[in-house]
Amino acid sequence: MSTTTVETTNVQTNTQKDYSQYDYANLEPYIHPPETREDIPWSELVTLDLEDYNRPGGKERLAKQLEHAVHHVGFFYVKNFGLSPDQIDQQFTLAKHFFELPISEKEKYEINYAEADYNGWRRPGRSLVAGARDNIEIFNIPKFIDEFEGKYDYPDLLKAHLGEIETFQRALHANVVMPLLRLFAIVLQLPDEDYLVKQHTYEKKSEDHFRYMIYYPRTDEEWATAKNGATGGHTDLGTVTLLFRQPVAGLQILGDDGNWTSVQAQPGTITVNLADTISHLTGGWLKSSVHRVVAPPQDQREFKRTGLLYFARPHNDAKLLPITDSPVLEKAGVKPRFDRIVTMEEWVKAKQTLQLNPEIAAKRWAERGDGKVEVLAGFHDQKYKE
Ligand SMILES: O=C(O)CCC(=O)C(=O)O
Ligand SMILES: [Fe+2]
């Protein structure tokens, strides 16, 4: 691996405001950048209308619509999930203002990496990937449950809005994650529609988190050094990932045919992707989709790319074994993906360690030489090239 480092002057463009005078109630609203005019190959993804969920026969209709997407594609959109455009805009606004806080303020909330934790602030430029410093800054917010009470602190800006953040996060869990888990259960023909729901209750300890994320613009030279993001293919580690409308193109999905296509910003939708854990629980039958974020098209390169995401995960004590009473999985003859019983807690720690330390992962990949790295107990991740 190349050890060249590049200057990352673009990474932090703070205007150092005087936050003692800050009015936390009247924040200047976030404005999304305009969509690209370039003609790029977009992914064709189905959209689930969650309003249909409670109508007679709705769940069955939605499950039917999902069958192909969850087994072959791993990505789809949902709409009508019970959060207003104003509520969503407000979260983008909080993200914008959080990232504009001075570094001296944000670093008080820095992630405790030594514990393989990931809640809190992650500064940009932490890791060297493909010879270039990353351009990603993150703030991760855990579930609002007793287990985490007092463990994490927040800047005054977010403290003033924690109630809204909690409402938003709980709504995502209740209105999106729970219905999707029931739809997966229907697809899997499980006798208990709540089988997966019971492994994902909000009140029990799990590592779900809500994320504010920003990708800073890079110069063409910086993008070239970073191979335009082409080597960033990965699968997410949890159950499902929810991504709010992102007009700055860059997110790409690896199709069954080996081609990458780009995810388009559809108004009023959340993009959902299946992740590793739901794949482990189904012996790989539900597809944890490989995706990456590449350099935006030229007409969007100048914009910061602000993201709002929710990562849903099972309880820490969940055992990641294939579900036994699914006729679908039985017919497919799926096998466990680990060579011993692995819990969610172990899985999070193992995969998170690799994700937080791409240098360690790259070194392990290079040592093996077959493009794979063992994450845990005989389960391997693939390193994706161009
Ligand atoms: O920002 C995006 O479009 C996707 C980010 C992503 O893949 C991730 O954070 O795992
Ligand atoms: Fe991802």
Side-chain angles (χ1 to χ4, degrees), residues 10-11 99 135-138 211 213-218 223 234 243 246 248 251 292-294 296 301 303-307 309:
N10 267 334
V11 154
F99 290 123
N135 61 333
I136 301 165
E137 186 174 343
I138 287 173
R211 170 181 294 183
M213 187 169 193
I214 191 164
Y215 290 74
Y216 288 99
R218 282 171 152 162
W223 273 119
H234 67 278
L243 171 74
Q246 175 53 267
V248 182
L251 176 59
R292 65 184 183 186
V293 178
V294 298
R301 289 257 168 118
F303 301 119
K304 290 183 202 159
R305 187 175 180 279
T306 305
L309 298 96

mmCIF file of all heavy atoms in Angstrom, residues 10-11 99 135-138 211 213-218 223 234 243 246 248 251 292-294 296 301 303-307 309:
data_model
loop_
_atom_site.group_PDB
_atom_site.id
_atom_site.type_symbol
_atom_site.label_atom_id
_atom_site.label_comp_id
_atom_site.label_asym_id
_atom_site.label_seq_id
_atom_site.Cartn_x
_atom_site.Cartn_y
_atom_site.Cartn_z
ATOM 1 N N ASN A 10 -9.106 20.986 2.345
ATOM 2 C CA ASN A 10 -10.546 21.098 2.106
ATOM 3 C C ASN A 10 -11.392 20.493 3.213
ATOM 4 O O ASN A 10 -12.586 20.681 3.256
ATOM 5 C CB ASN A 10 -10.903 20.354 0.805
ATOM 6 C CG ASN A 10 -10.892 21.301 -0.356
ATOM 7 O OD1 ASN A 10 -11.104 22.488 -0.171
ATOM 8 N ND2 ASN A 10 -10.646 20.779 -1.539
ATOM 9 N N VAL A 11 -10.734 19.706 4.058
ATOM 10 C CA VAL A 11 -11.494 18.879 4.971
ATOM 11 C C VAL A 11 -12.300 19.658 6.006
ATOM 12 O O VAL A 11 -13.444 19.370 6.251
ATOM 13 C CB VAL A 11 -10.563 17.838 5.636
ATOM 14 C CG1 VAL A 11 -11.080 17.393 6.976
ATOM 15 C CG2 VAL A 11 -10.408 16.644 4.720
ATOM 16 N N PHE A 99 -21.659 20.304 12.623
ATOM 17 C CA PHE A 99 -20.364 20.229 11.936
ATOM 18 C C PHE A 99 -19.669 21.588 11.867
ATOM 19 O O PHE A 99 -18.452 21.651 11.746
ATOM 20 C CB PHE A 99 -20.522 19.602 10.541
ATOM 21 C CG PHE A 99 -20.842 18.133 10.597
ATOM 22 C CD1 PHE A 99 -21.980 17.610 9.998
ATOM 23 C CD2 PHE A 99 -20.001 17.256 11.286
ATOM 24 C CE1 PHE A 99 -22.282 16.259 10.072
ATOM 25 C CE2 PHE A 99 -20.289 15.897 11.369
ATOM 26 C CZ PHE A 99 -21.433 15.400 10.760
ATOM 27 N N ASN A 135 -12.164 11.935 3.944
ATOM 28 C CA ASN A 135 -12.795 13.267 3.987
ATOM 29 C C ASN A 135 -14.119 13.229 4.746
ATOM 30 O O ASN A 135 -15.020 14.000 4.483
ATOM 31 C CB ASN A 135 -13.021 13.784 2.560
ATOM 32 C CG ASN A 135 -13.945 12.871 1.760
ATOM 33 O OD1 ASN A 135 -14.030 11.676 2.032
ATOM 34 N ND2 ASN A 135 -14.639 13.432 0.795
ATOM 35 N N ILE A 136 -14.207 12.280 5.694
ATOM 36 C CA ILE A 136 -15.492 12.020 6.362
ATOM 37 C C ILE A 136 -15.488 12.467 7.818
ATOM 38 O O ILE A 136 -14.595 12.105 8.581
ATOM 39 C CB ILE A 136 -15.788 10.501 6.343
ATOM 40 C CG1 ILE A 136 -15.849 9.991 4.910
ATOM 41 C CG2 ILE A 136 -17.087 10.187 7.067
ATOM 42 C CD1 ILE A 136 -15.774 8.473 4.833
ATOM 43 N N GLU A 137 -16.505 13.204 8.189
ATOM 44 C CA GLU A 137 -16.713 13.571 9.587
ATOM 45 C C GLU A 137 -18.079 13.034 10.006
ATOM 46 O O GLU A 137 -19.039 13.093 9.236
ATOM 47 C CB GLU A 137 -16.658 15.095 9.721
ATOM 48 C CG GLU A 137 -16.728 15.576 11.157
ATOM 49 C CD GLU A 137 -16.520 17.097 11.298
ATOM 50 O OE1 GLU A 137 -16.013 17.729 10.353
ATOM 51 O OE2 GLU A 137 -16.884 17.633 12.355
ATOM 52 N N ILE A 138 -18.140 12.515 11.261
ATOM 53 C CA ILE A 138 -19.358 11.803 11.704
ATOM 54 C C ILE A 138 -19.705 12.202 13.133
ATOM 55 O O ILE A 138 -18.817 12.450 13.946
ATOM 56 C CB ILE A 138 -19.091 10.269 11.656
ATOM 57 C CG1 ILE A 138 -19.056 9.761 10.208
ATOM 58 C CG2 ILE A 138 -20.119 9.483 12.462
ATOM 59 C CD1 ILE A 138 -18.629 8.300 10.083
ATOM 60 N N ARG A 211 -27.043 8.858 12.855
ATOM 61 C CA ARG A 211 -25.764 9.481 12.460
ATOM 62 C C ARG A 211 -25.938 10.751 11.633
ATOM 63 O O ARG A 211 -26.718 10.773 10.685
ATOM 64 C CB ARG A 211 -24.958 8.470 11.631
ATOM 65 C CG ARG A 211 -23.725 9.075 10.976
ATOM 66 C CD ARG A 211 -22.968 8.074 10.143
ATOM 67 N NE ARG A 211 -22.395 7.011 10.949
ATOM 68 C CZ ARG A 211 -21.638 6.031 10.452
ATOM 69 N NH1 ARG A 211 -21.366 5.984 9.151
ATOM 70 N NH2 ARG A 211 -21.159 5.098 11.243
ATOM 71 N N MET A 213 -23.560 12.901 9.181
ATOM 72 C CA MET A 213 -22.326 12.564 8.455
ATOM 73 C C MET A 213 -22.053 13.624 7.403
ATOM 74 O O MET A 213 -22.989 14.152 6.808
ATOM 75 C CB MET A 213 -22.543 11.209 7.779
ATOM 76 C CG MET A 213 -21.344 10.606 7.113
ATOM 77 S SD MET A 213 -21.753 8.877 6.666
ATOM 78 C CE MET A 213 -20.118 8.264 6.292
ATOM 79 N N ILE A 214 -20.803 13.943 7.183
ATOM 80 C CA ILE A 214 -20.491 14.896 6.119
ATOM 81 C C ILE A 214 -19.233 14.445 5.366
ATOM 82 O O ILE A 214 -18.272 13.989 5.978
ATOM 83 C CB ILE A 214 -20.344 16.332 6.694
ATOM 84 C CG1 ILE A 214 -20.281 17.381 5.591
ATOM 85 C CG2 ILE A 214 -19.178 16.472 7.625
ATOM 86 C CD1 ILE A 214 -20.522 18.802 6.087
ATOM 87 N N TYR A 215 -19.338 14.498 4.049
ATOM 88 C CA TYR A 215 -18.180 14.244 3.192
ATOM 89 C C TYR A 215 -17.732 15.607 2.687
ATOM 90 O O TYR A 215 -18.509 16.306 2.031
ATOM 91 C CB TYR A 215 -18.570 13.397 1.973
ATOM 92 C CG TYR A 215 -18.922 11.954 2.274
ATOM 93 C CD1 TYR A 215 -20.138 11.629 2.879
ATOM 94 C CD2 TYR A 215 -18.066 10.922 1.911
ATOM 95 C CE1 TYR A 215 -20.470 10.313 3.137
ATOM 96 C CE2 TYR A 215 -18.400 9.601 2.152
ATOM 97 C CZ TYR A 215 -19.599 9.302 2.774
ATOM 98 O OH TYR A 215 -19.936 8.000 3.019
ATOM 99 N N TYR A 216 -16.500 15.997 2.987
ATOM 100 C CA TYR A 216 -16.002 17.290 2.520
ATOM 101 C C TYR A 216 -15.543 17.192 1.070
ATOM 102 O O TYR A 216 -15.082 16.127 0.632
ATOM 103 C CB TYR A 216 -14.856 17.770 3.420
ATOM 104 C CG TYR A 216 -15.370 18.205 4.763
ATOM 105 C CD1 TYR A 216 -15.312 17.359 5.868
ATOM 106 C CD2 TYR A 216 -15.973 19.446 4.920
ATOM 107 C CE1 TYR A 216 -15.823 17.746 7.096
ATOM 108 C CE2 TYR A 216 -16.483 19.846 6.148
ATOM 109 C CZ TYR A 216 -16.406 18.986 7.222
ATOM 110 O OH TYR A 216 -16.927 19.364 8.431
ATOM 111 N N PRO A 217 -15.673 18.306 0.349
ATOM 112 C CA PRO A 217 -15.206 18.300 -1.038
ATOM 113 C C PRO A 217 -13.704 18.008 -1.101
ATOM 114 O O PRO A 217 -12.972 18.324 -0.168
ATOM 115 C CB PRO A 217 -15.482 19.725 -1.518
ATOM 116 C CG PRO A 217 -16.446 20.300 -0.548
ATOM 117 C CD PRO A 217 -16.213 19.605 0.755
ATOM 118 N N ARG A 218 -13.302 17.390 -2.188
ATOM 119 C CA ARG A 218 -11.874 17.139 -2.426
ATOM 120 C C ARG A 218 -11.502 17.742 -3.765
ATOM 121 O O ARG A 218 -12.363 17.835 -4.661
ATOM 122 C CB ARG A 218 -11.606 15.631 -2.506
ATOM 123 C CG ARG A 218 -11.568 14.931 -1.187
ATOM 124 C CD ARG A 218 -11.528 13.429 -1.420
ATOM 125 N NE ARG A 218 -10.866 12.728 -0.337
ATOM 126 C CZ ARG A 218 -10.987 11.437 -0.111
ATOM 127 N NH1 ARG A 218 -11.740 10.696 -0.894
ATOM 128 N NH2 ARG A 218 -10.338 10.860 0.878
ATOM 129 N N TRP A 223 -9.002 13.420 -5.110
ATOM 130 C CA TRP A 223 -9.851 12.295 -5.522
ATOM 131 C C TRP A 223 -9.035 11.246 -6.279
ATOM 132 O O TRP A 223 -9.232 10.034 -6.086
ATOM 133 C CB TRP A 223 -11.031 12.766 -6.385
ATOM 134 C CG TRP A 223 -12.227 13.179 -5.579
ATOM 135 C CD1 TRP A 223 -12.806 14.412 -5.539
ATOM 136 C CD2 TRP A 223 -12.989 12.351 -4.682
ATOM 137 N NE1 TRP A 223 -13.876 14.405 -4.674
ATOM 138 C CE2 TRP A 223 -14.018 13.158 -4.136
ATOM 139 C CE3 TRP A 223 -12.907 11.008 -4.286
ATOM 140 C CZ2 TRP A 223 -14.952 12.661 -3.214
ATOM 141 C CZ3 TRP A 223 -13.829 10.519 -3.368
ATOM 142 C CH2 TRP A 223 -14.833 11.345 -2.847
ATOM 143 N N HIS A 234 -18.058 -1.998 0.523
ATOM 144 C CA HIS A 234 -18.218 -2.630 1.843
ATOM 145 C C HIS A 234 -19.668 -3.051 2.044
ATOM 146 O O HIS A 234 -20.551 -2.629 1.300
ATOM 147 C CB HIS A 234 -17.815 -1.656 2.959
ATOM 148 C CG HIS A 234 -18.759 -0.475 3.077
ATOM 149 N ND1 HIS A 234 -18.652 0.629 2.266
ATOM 150 C CD2 HIS A 234 -19.829 -0.242 3.876
ATOM 151 C CE1 HIS A 234 -19.609 1.491 2.568
ATOM 152 N NE2 HIS A 234 -20.348 0.994 3.544
ATOM 153 N N LEU A 243 -31.004 5.594 4.989
ATOM 154 C CA LEU A 243 -30.271 6.771 4.506
ATOM 155 C C LEU A 243 -31.267 7.784 3.950
ATOM 156 O O LEU A 243 -32.009 7.481 3.009
ATOM 157 C CB LEU A 243 -29.296 6.336 3.406
ATOM 158 C CG LEU A 243 -28.586 7.432 2.618
ATOM 159 C CD1 LEU A 243 -27.507 8.087 3.468
ATOM 160 C CD2 LEU A 243 -27.964 6.871 1.345
ATOM 161 N N GLN A 246 -30.295 11.908 -0.366
ATOM 162 C CA GLN A 246 -28.942 12.442 -0.556
ATOM 163 C C GLN A 246 -28.805 12.881 -2.011
ATOM 164 O O GLN A 246 -28.574 12.067 -2.897
ATOM 165 C CB GLN A 246 -27.912 11.352 -0.221
ATOM 166 C CG GLN A 246 -26.476 11.714 -0.472
ATOM 167 C CD GLN A 246 -26.068 13.017 0.191
ATOM 168 O OE1 GLN A 246 -26.134 14.086 -0.414
ATOM 169 N NE2 GLN A 246 -25.660 12.925 1.455
ATOM 170 N N VAL A 248 -26.480 14.634 -3.444
ATOM 171 C CA VAL A 248 -25.131 14.590 -4.020
ATOM 172 C C VAL A 248 -24.811 13.132 -4.371
ATOM 173 O O VAL A 248 -24.623 12.295 -3.493
ATOM 174 C CB VAL A 248 -24.068 15.173 -3.064
ATOM 175 C CG1 VAL A 248 -22.695 15.158 -3.709
ATOM 176 C CG2 VAL A 248 -24.452 16.592 -2.644
ATOM 177 N N LEU A 251 -23.201 7.460 -3.978
ATOM 178 C CA LEU A 251 -23.460 6.120 -3.445
ATOM 179 C C LEU A 251 -23.726 5.162 -4.600
ATOM 180 O O LEU A 251 -24.597 5.402 -5.432
ATOM 181 C CB LEU A 251 -24.674 6.170 -2.502
ATOM 182 C CG LEU A 251 -25.148 4.830 -1.939
ATOM 183 C CD1 LEU A 251 -24.055 4.121 -1.136
ATOM 184 C CD2 LEU A 251 -26.399 5.023 -1.070
ATOM 185 N N ARG A 292 -20.558 1.532 -2.069
ATOM 186 C CA ARG A 292 -19.402 2.410 -1.838
ATOM 187 C C ARG A 292 -19.829 3.844 -2.136
ATOM 188 O O ARG A 292 -20.878 4.064 -2.758
ATOM 189 C CB ARG A 292 -18.236 2.003 -2.748
ATOM 190 C CG ARG A 292 -18.543 2.198 -4.222
ATOM 191 C CD ARG A 292 -17.413 1.693 -5.120
ATOM 192 N NE ARG A 292 -17.709 1.972 -6.531
ATOM 193 C CZ ARG A 292 -16.965 1.557 -7.545
ATOM 194 N NH1 ARG A 292 -15.880 0.821 -7.325
ATOM 195 N NH2 ARG A 292 -17.295 1.876 -8.789
ATOM 196 N N VAL A 293 -19.026 4.799 -1.695
ATOM 197 C CA VAL A 293 -19.294 6.205 -2.026
ATOM 198 C C VAL A 293 -18.116 6.714 -2.847
ATOM 199 O O VAL A 293 -16.979 6.734 -2.366
ATOM 200 C CB VAL A 293 -19.503 7.065 -0.766
ATOM 201 C CG1 VAL A 293 -19.720 8.530 -1.143
ATOM 202 C CG2 VAL A 293 -20.709 6.558 0.035
ATOM 203 N N VAL A 294 -18.390 7.074 -4.094
ATOM 204 C CA VAL A 294 -17.325 7.523 -5.000
ATOM 205 C C VAL A 294 -17.392 9.039 -5.201
ATOM 206 O O VAL A 294 -18.311 9.696 -4.706
ATOM 207 C CB VAL A 294 -17.406 6.804 -6.373
ATOM 208 C CG1 VAL A 294 -17.225 5.300 -6.195
ATOM 209 C CG2 VAL A 294 -18.723 7.112 -7.083
ATOM 210 N N PRO A 296 -18.323 12.500 -6.402
ATOM 211 C CA PRO A 296 -19.561 12.966 -7.055
ATOM 212 C C PRO A 296 -19.273 13.420 -8.480
ATOM 213 O O PRO A 296 -18.121 13.696 -8.831
ATOM 214 C CB PRO A 296 -19.988 14.164 -6.192
ATOM 215 C CG PRO A 296 -19.240 14.033 -4.919
ATOM 216 C CD PRO A 296 -17.970 13.310 -5.245
ATOM 217 N N ARG A 301 -19.043 18.417 -7.382
ATOM 218 C CA ARG A 301 -17.793 18.226 -6.617
ATOM 219 C C ARG A 301 -17.548 19.291 -5.558
ATOM 220 O O ARG A 301 -16.851 19.069 -4.588
ATOM 221 C CB ARG A 301 -16.591 18.222 -7.577
ATOM 222 C CG ARG A 301 -16.511 17.000 -8.440
ATOM 223 C CD ARG A 301 -15.477 16.021 -7.984
ATOM 224 N NE ARG A 301 -15.675 14.780 -8.704
ATOM 225 C CZ ARG A 301 -14.782 14.227 -9.529
ATOM 226 N NH1 ARG A 301 -13.602 14.808 -9.705
ATOM 227 N NH2 ARG A 301 -15.056 13.112 -10.137
ATOM 228 N N PHE A 303 -19.677 20.640 -3.543
ATOM 229 C CA PHE A 303 -20.598 20.664 -2.405
ATOM 230 C C PHE A 303 -20.162 19.742 -1.282
ATOM 231 O O PHE A 303 -19.656 18.653 -1.520
ATOM 232 C CB PHE A 303 -22.009 20.258 -2.838
ATOM 233 C CG PHE A 303 -22.588 21.148 -3.894
ATOM 234 C CD1 PHE A 303 -22.945 20.638 -5.134
ATOM 235 C CD2 PHE A 303 -22.765 22.506 -3.648
ATOM 236 C CE1 PHE A 303 -23.476 21.458 -6.119
ATOM 237 C CE2 PHE A 303 -23.290 23.340 -4.626
ATOM 238 C CZ PHE A 303 -23.643 22.816 -5.872
ATOM 239 N N LYS A 304 -20.457 20.181 -0.063
ATOM 240 C CA LYS A 304 -20.351 19.262 1.063
ATOM 241 C C LYS A 304 -21.511 18.289 0.919
ATOM 242 O O LYS A 304 -22.607 18.674 0.494
ATOM 243 C CB LYS A 304 -20.491 20.014 2.380
ATOM 244 C CG LYS A 304 -19.316 20.905 2.711
ATOM 245 C CD LYS A 304 -19.560 21.536 4.063
ATOM 246 C CE LYS A 304 -18.751 22.794 4.208
ATOM 247 N NZ LYS A 304 -19.298 23.677 5.242
ATOM 248 N N ARG A 305 -21.274 17.024 1.303
ATOM 249 C CA ARG A 305 -22.307 16.000 1.149
ATOM 250 C C ARG A 305 -22.763 15.592 2.547
ATOM 251 O O ARG A 305 -22.125 14.777 3.209
ATOM 252 C CB ARG A 305 -21.699 14.829 0.379
ATOM 253 C CG ARG A 305 -22.642 13.730 -0.026
ATOM 254 C CD ARG A 305 -21.875 12.721 -0.886
ATOM 255 N NE ARG A 305 -22.731 11.631 -1.323
ATOM 256 C CZ ARG A 305 -23.045 10.577 -0.587
ATOM 257 N NH1 ARG A 305 -22.581 10.460 0.641
ATOM 258 N NH2 ARG A 305 -23.828 9.637 -1.080
ATOM 259 N N THR A 306 -23.878 16.200 2.993
ATOM 260 C CA THR A 306 -24.343 15.983 4.366
ATOM 261 C C THR A 306 -25.346 14.836 4.403
ATOM 262 O O THR A 306 -26.296 14.825 3.614
ATOM 263 C CB THR A 306 -25.003 17.267 4.911
ATOM 264 O OG1 THR A 306 -24.071 18.331 4.774
ATOM 265 C CG2 THR A 306 -25.386 17.119 6.365
ATOM 266 N N GLY A 307 -25.140 13.900 5.293
ATOM 267 C CA GLY A 307 -26.001 12.715 5.340
ATOM 268 C C GLY A 307 -26.648 12.522 6.704
ATOM 269 O O GLY A 307 -26.120 12.947 7.740
ATOM 270 N N LEU A 309 -28.386 9.271 8.721
ATOM 271 C CA LEU A 309 -28.521 7.815 8.617
ATOM 272 C C LEU A 309 -28.972 7.195 9.933
ATOM 273 O O LEU A 309 -28.737 7.769 10.999
ATOM 274 C CB LEU A 309 -27.181 7.172 8.228
ATOM 275 C CG LEU A 309 -26.565 7.558 6.893
ATOM 276 C CD1 LEU A 309 -25.544 8.670 7.063
ATOM 277 C CD2 LEU A 309 -25.887 6.367 6.230
#
